[in-house]
Amino acid sequence: MERLERIATKVESLGGDFYITFDEAERFYLTGLSSTFGIALVGKGGNFFITDGRYIERAKEVRNFKVILWKGWEEFTSLLKELKAESLIVDPYRLKAKTYKELSNKFYLIDSEGFLNELRAVKSEREISLITRAVQIAELSLKSVLHLLKPGITEIEFRRALIEAFFKLGGKGEAFPTIVASGRNSAVPHWETGNREIRDGDLVIVDFGTVYGGYVSDITRTFLVGNVSNEARRIYDAVLEAQELGVRELSAGKSCREVDLKVRKFLEDKGYGKFFTHSLGHGIGVEVHEAPTLSQRSKEVLKEGNVITVEPGVYIPEIGGVRIEDDCLITERGAFRLSHLPR
Ligand code: GLY
Ligand code: MN
């Protein structure tokens, strides 16, 4: 409830009557119910969850929201009028243009980019335990199929085995399409897992995560299969050191930008700067990419309760790539790794 009160206070301070969201992840965050359609309204005038017949039965379990059956735009507009809602806070990044237009014809809209992001970035104990479980299931899953990762298996076959393991061990499938990138393919940071057979001498990136209780994990390990080149080993060692540096740098109060720059500088000094082509990390929670972001452009500061990935990578065309990613909880005293698979 405290969460909803904080949102209502923020709504009021921005001069709105309600925050209105049609976004699937935000709806889940607020109501705890997965649904493909619905609207959540939060404000001093109360909390309302409007959804259609497919979810109305299960919506009875939603606490702290008055549940209303969706009957169409006209009825919805009348409801807002009854609630004396004149100005609505919206996050334009999470609203379809058509919906924005529909609302703006009838109400005064106040744009607040990433309205819920800061609140969502600081996880409660319950959220931390769900993410921790999602991490554990993903790690146990990988361990259970690791014996299959050898010359002859294709990328997609390994992905399929991993997905099965997620389900077997209590996860709800993949948090995102698992990346299995072998050999040259590993030089593409977000390779679309394909039919290539893993061979002796390959670098193999496996970027994977599952969902537990609506919360995700996101882990990457890179494997050196058989006799790999010395250059591949050098890249691996540099990325491993960079990742450890990144995790050491994390603590509440640190600038996200500076953590990214420190690791970037380390890889530059090793001669790999131009091959580290993405940001260092991102928050995880209900979504795979949440605030805060460890990047050169970030203006955010780390807070106790953030759960964030640290995932430096070096990708060299023709040779291959290495990425190592762990999920970390930010505390006052530094970062606590939630993922513990050997690196
Ligand atoms: N593991 C997917 C991503 O971070 O984009
Ligand atoms: Mn990631």
Side-chain angles (χ1 to χ4, degrees):
M1 189 63 189
E2 192 208 340
R3 185 191 274 178
L4 295 170
E5 275 161 16
R6 286 170 67 179
I7 297 170
T9 304
K10 186 170 172 186
V11 167
E12 198 174 41
S13 73
L14 294 174
D17 295 309
F18 290 96
Y19 176 59
I20 184 167
T21 183
F22 292 69
D23 180 82
E24 192 165 335
E26 291 195 341
R27 252 191 343 262
F28 177 79
Y29 176 76
L30 294 169
T31 66
L33 183 78
S34 302
S35 54
T36 56
F37 173 79
I39 304 162
L41 282 173
V42 179
K44 292 278 179 192
N47 309 312
F48 300 86
F49 176 46
I50 298 99
T51 191
D52 66 26
R54 293 170 298 168
Y55 302 103
I56 207 75
E57 220 15 67
R58 288 205 46 222
K60 287 179 184 156
E61 296 159 22
V62 174
R63 286 177 301 135
N64 304 324
F65 278 80
K66 184 170 187 314
V67 177
I68 295 172
L69 181 66
W70 167 261
K71 292 186 183 140
W73 272 105
E74 221 170 284
E75 287 81 355
F76 179 60
T77 307
S78 307
L79 168 73
L80 286 170
K81 300 265 180 215
E82 269 170 47
L83 294 172
K84 303 206 184 332
E86 284 167 8
S87 48
L88 300 174
I89 312 280
V90 294
D91 180 348
Y93 281 121
R94 292 193 180 261
L95 216 50
K96 285 185 182 154
K98 176 85 174 95
T99 309
Y100 192 98
K101 210 166 147 201
E102 191 84 42
L103 288 172
S104 65
N105 282 337
K106 300 187 177 85
F107 303 94
Y108 179 67
L109 299 189
I110 301 171
D111 285 2
S112 176
E113 288 174 14
F115 177 83
L116 283 185
N117 291 3
E118 228 180 295
L119 188 69
R120 281 178 57 188
V122 177
K123 269 66 186 178
S124 66
E125 272 180 30
R126 180 174 175 277
E127 289 178 297
I128 293 165
S129 70
L130 293 172
I131 296 171
T132 303
R133 191 70 195 128
V135 168
Q136 288 166 349
I137 294 170
E139 294 197 314
L140 288 170
S141 300
L142 188 85
K143 278 188 184 166
S144 77
V145 296
L146 199 52
H147 63 282
L148 300 173
L149 189 66
K150 56 187 183 191
I153 192 168
T154 67
E155 295 173 348
I156 202 97
E157 282 165 352
F158 188 70
R159 175 181 172 196
R160 201 172 57 203
L162 191 52
I163 297 171
E164 257 181 50
F166 290 154
F167 281 113
K168 242 188 254 167
L169 294 169
K172 208 171 165 193
E174 294 174 298
F176 52 87
T178 303
I179 298 168
V180 182
S182 63
R184 283 176 174 206
N185 301 344
S186 64
V188 180
H190 272 193
W191 173 250
E192 192 182 334
T193 306
N195 287 315
R196 185 182 179 280
E197 268 184 24
I198 286 161
R199 293 185 213 130
D200 186 78
D202 277 354
L203 284 168
V204 182
I205 292 179
V206 183
D207 185 345
F208 62 105
T210 190
V211 186
Y212 184 78
Y215 284 77
V216 305
S217 48
D218 181 11
I219 304 164
T220 306
R221 288 294 181 265
T222 302
F223 299 92
L224 287 68
V225 181
N227 299 304
V228 298
S229 67
N230 288 337
E231 179 58 4
R233 281 172 199 277
R234 270 195 297 277
I235 302 169
Y236 189 91
D237 290 341
V239 173
L240 180 59
E241 247 189 278
Q243 207 254 1
E244 287 179 349
L245 170 67
V247 175
R248 274 201 310 275
E249 282 298 306
L250 301 174
S251 72
K254 270 272 176 81
S255 137
C256 289
R257 178 171 181 271
E258 271 163 30
V259 178
D260 179 288
L261 288 177
K262 184 112 184 197
V263 174
R264 211 162 284 283
K265 170 85 173 49
F266 172 84
L267 285 171
E268 265 163 28
D269 292 346
K270 292 267 175 196
Y272 294 127
K274 72 171 174 173
F275 302 111
F276 176 23
T277 48
H278 52 73
S279 49
L280 181 63
H282 54 89
I284 57 169
V286 173
E287 290 175 293
V288 180
H289 297 110
E290 295 195 355
T293 307
L294 297 174
S295 84
Q296 297 169 84
R297 290 167 300 282
S298 177
K299 294 191 173 74
E300 295 155 306
V301 169
L302 291 170
K303 287 195 182 137
E304 203 172 359
N306 289 156
V307 178
I308 195 156
T309 70
V310 178
E311 50 176 308
V314 165
Y315 314 90
I316 307 185
E318 309 302 321
I319 295 179
V322 173
R323 178 165 66 255
I324 301 171
E325 174 179 31
D326 280 307
D327 301 338
C328 301
L329 170 66
I330 305 298
T331 72
E332 286 296 344
R333 283 172 290 117
F336 177 77
R337 280 182 207 261
L338 300 178
S339 40
H340 300 287
L341 274 180
R343 290 180 292 284

